[in-house]
Amino acid sequence: MRNDKLPAAERTLARLTDEAKFLLVAGTDAPSQVMSITIYHILCNSCVYNRLREELQMALSNADMDACWGDLERLPYLVSILHSNVYCQLV
């Protein structure tokens, strides 16, 4: 806000608020799209869905609480699905 090289209109609180909102949305839009498409493909493919469901049920059957990220990272099929979908959607 103190940079005199920028026009005054670029340094207003409203302008900076708009920029902050844009950055927040830009940082969440792509990951949410990847997850939506991944879930869609899992649900459309019954073999993938059933295998993933079995892996999750076996891994979480003894869990007293919700699984933490560390627990989920140890599930090879889940991790391979996530990695392959992120890769395919970035290419």
Side-chain angles (χ1 to χ4, degrees):
M1 293 186 80
R2 294 181 182 162
N3 187 346
D4 293 332
K5 293 179 182 178
L6 289 174
E10 297 288 322
R11 292 182 277 146
T12 65
L13 182 57
R15 171 68 181 190
L16 293 175
T17 301
D18 288 342
E19 290 291 328
K21 288 178 187 176
F22 175 77
L23 290 174
L24 287 172
V25 171
T28 60
D29 186 44
S32 66
Q33 280 187 327
V34 169
M35 289 307 298
S36 296
I37 294 169
T38 300
I39 291 168
Y40 170 79
H41 286 288
I42 290 169
L43 295 175
C44 285
N45 188 328
S46 61
C47 293
V48 172
Y49 173 80
N50 289 330
R51 184 171 171 190
L52 180 59
R53 186 174 179 191
E54 287 175 17
E55 183 178 68
L56 289 167
Q57 285 177 333
M58 288 179 59
L60 303 176
S61 64
N62 297 330
D64 294 333
M65 300 181 291
D66 294 334
C68 67
W69 180 246
D71 296 334
L72 297 175
E73 282 182 313
R74 290 186 208 98
L75 302 178
Y77 195 63
L78 173 64
V79 169
S80 68
I81 288 172
L82 295 175
H83 284 193
S84 63
N85 275 284
V86 167
Y87 176 76
C88 287
Q89 293 174 43
L90 293 178
V91 173

